[in-house]
Amino acid sequence: MIFSFEGIDGCGKTTQVARLAERLEDAGYDVLRVREPGGTDLGEAVRDLLLDTRRDIHDMAEMLLFSAARAQLVTERIVPHVQSGGVVVCDRFFDSTVAYQGGGRRVADVAWLYDFQRRVTAGVEPDRTYLVRVPVDVAATRLSGRIAATGRDRMEHADRDFWVRTSEAYDRLAERAAQRYRVVDGTRPVDDIARAIWSDAKELTN
Ligand code: Z5A
């Protein structure tokens, strides 16, 4: 069983990834929690490349780097864990590339990119994806404290239109893959969101 969490930066998905992973562990599941890009030696090195503000990365190269990190993560960690009966909770998965590089950067046709991602993961896809949805300005406000403290990473230098396009791309993905997606209102209190997600996840794992 694979769960993924999606949404624009600052939507609160990492908070919810931790909550769901805890609930699953308490219920006795063997849980692998991973983030993208990252989760493997190669993936963490690619993450450093992608987020480093000193690097000028072409949009197509960016898309391929996110995809390369994902291919490694799927083969090295996700597939073995699922095969041994465990549950995987992903902080982002291939929908991030479709939304950010397809919708935000407009690097390639979204339908083509979606299809390409199925090849990157050799057909592995989440059983459930939670889209934590917040308005772009709410997300920006939430991130402002961290940005003031540590500065923006390379991806966070994009302008507001990029975030709006990315957010809209997520909405289209959630419509297109409605069976897999559940959209949650990320402006609600953390505990309420966690409860709604657990109620759905519990059903799915039973
Ligand atoms: N990216 C891409 O372009 N293509 C891809 O294929 C992939 C990724 C895989 C990864 O950055 C960047 O790479 C990201 C997308 C891009 N870039 N951008 N820009 P990352 O891994 O460093 O970060 P992230 O995944 O985007 O987000 P994050 O920093 O982990 O934040 P979050 O998961 O959205 O939110 P959070 O950490 O749970 O919460 C943010 C703040 O809000 C924090 O202060 C919380 O306490 C607060 N919070 C959380 N929930 C609530 C609620 N419900 N109410 C009020 N406040 C809340």
Side-chain angles (χ1 to χ4, degrees):
M1 173 83 49
I2 303 175
F3 293 96
S4 67
F5 283 75
E6 297 285 352
I8 55 173
D9 262 41
C11 68
K13 65 182 168 40
T14 301
T15 304
Q16 296 301 329
V17 163
R19 291 296 192 95
L20 178 60
E22 266 171 41
R23 295 303 293 260
L24 288 165
E25 276 164 5
D26 289 348
Y29 291 98
D30 178 15
V31 179
L32 170 67
R33 179 181 161 182
V34 288
R35 68 169 180 182
E36 279 215 38
T40 65
D41 278 354
L42 179 74
E44 291 296 329
V46 170
R47 179 185 180 88
D48 290 345
L49 287 176
L50 280 163
L51 300 186
D52 186 345
T53 48
R54 292 166 304 179
R55 256 172 236 288
D56 182 19
I57 302 178
H58 184 273
D59 289 351
M60 180 59 80
E62 178 184 282
M63 188 279 282
L64 292 168
L65 283 168
F66 278 116
S67 303
R70 178 167 310 122
Q72 185 76 19
L73 179 65
V74 167
T75 314
E76 193 179 311
R77 300 201 63 201
I78 293 180
V79 168
H81 194 76
V82 171
Q83 282 176 346
S84 71
V87 175
V88 183
V89 183
C90 303
D91 192 339
R92 299 193 177 284
F93 201 47
F94 61 70
D95 295 312
S96 285
T97 302
V98 179
Y100 278 81
Q101 280 62 55
R105 298 272 197 241
R106 297 191 277 210
V107 69
D109 173 69
V110 163
W112 178 87
L113 205 45
Y114 196 87
D115 195 49
F116 177 67
Q117 289 305 311
R118 308 299 289 280
R119 289 158 203 272
V120 166
T121 67
V124 172
E125 65 172 83
D127 297 283
R128 175 68 84 229
T129 298
Y130 297 109
L131 172 58
V132 183
R133 197 174 187 289
V134 295
V136 166
D137 297 321
V138 170
T141 305
R142 283 188 192 166
L143 286 182
S144 56
R146 180 175 58 69
I147 287 173
T150 61
R152 292 177 193 276
D153 65 38
R154 196 186 62 82
M155 293 300 299
E156 289 167 346
H157 273 88
D159 60 23
R160 191 176 182 283
D161 287 351
F162 170 86
W163 298 110
V164 171
R165 286 198 300 277
T166 302
S167 180
E168 289 172 351
Y170 269 128
D171 289 343
R172 287 193 294 275
L173 270 169
E175 278 170 26
R176 177 186 165 148
Q179 275 204 313
R180 170 166 67 87
Y181 263 86
R182 292 293 175 270
V183 180
V184 295
D185 178 358
T187 63
R188 288 164 55 203
V190 170
D191 287 346
D192 289 6
I193 303 171
R195 213 172 298 119
I197 289 174
W198 177 238
S199 151
D200 176 76
K202 201 170 48 179
E203 285 283 305
L204 211 65
T205 47
N206 276 335

